Amino acid sequence: MNLKIITQEKVVFDSDVDEIYTKGVDGEFGILKGHIPVMSALDIGVTRIKKGDVSRAFTTMGGVLQFKDDECLILTTLAEPGDEIDEMRARESLERNRKLLMNSKSKMEAKKFEASVARAKARLKAKLNDE
């Protein structure tokens, strides 16, 4: 089956794969060849793929997934291959935003920092799952 991961700026991935695992707003799920058609809103998380013995991981920062006729399309705001993520930068971002979250003064500010923490965690998970 074919998978395309697309942001507003570029096609991040476009290739045939055997397995797709991602995080929707209702939880994690997987797709194999011949899966029934599905459309799902994506949460901030990691999309993992397998092709034979090779696994790769990508951050997917929200968006939508559509699967039909063995074609999977992920449209997302931001996607990064795990092997391109700077682990040190992601760890620093996680710590900084955790501190900011603990000291947030309003619900709106807290939501902003919660999203930043989630993005940093997704980057670290994608980096670690791609090695």
Side-chain angles (χ1 to χ4, degrees):
M1 66 187 158
N2 184 261
L3 169 64
K4 288 183 184 175
I5 301 175
I6 301 172
T7 68
Q8 293 173 339
E9 291 85 29
K10 64 183 177 177
V11 175
V12 176
F13 183 83
D14 183 1
S15 187
D16 289 339
V17 299
D18 297 328
E19 303 172 30
I20 303 166
Y21 302 94
T22 195
K23 184 177 180 187
V25 294
D26 294 324
E28 293 189 22
F29 62 96
I31 296 175
L32 302 174
K33 186 174 179 149
H35 197 286
I36 62 169
V38 65
M39 184 169 239
S40 176
L42 296 179
D43 202 351
I44 295 170
V46 175
T47 296
R48 296 180 321 277
I49 61 166
K50 285 190 79 172
K51 174 72 174 178
D53 292 337
V54 177
S55 295
R56 292 195 65 196
F58 299 84
T59 60
T60 41
M61 305 299 184
V64 65
L65 174 144
Q66 177 185 351
F67 183 82
K68 182 180 175 186
D69 300 326
D70 285 335
E71 297 281 330
C72 186
L73 177 64
I74 293 177
L75 300 174
T76 183
T77 307
L78 177 66
E80 302 165 285
D83 59 359
E84 294 180 13
I85 293 170
D86 181 338
E87 185 177 350
M88 183 63 74
R89 185 172 169 222
R91 287 188 189 284
E92 289 170 356
S93 175
L94 178 60
E95 290 308 310
R96 179 178 59 253
N97 283 292
R98 278 182 173 162
K99 288 176 185 173
L100 290 168
L101 176 59
M102 288 190 312
N103 296 317
S104 59
K105 305 282 189 245
S106 68
K107 285 184 182 180
M108 184 188 268
E109 194 175 73
K111 289 286 184 192
K112 178 179 136 183
F113 295 130
E114 284 173 0
S116 295
V117 166
R119 287 190 296 272
K121 284 182 176 179
R123 286 184 176 105
L124 287 170
K125 187 174 180 181
K127 176 68 174 179
L128 299 175
N129 281 316
D130 205 59
E131 293 179 340

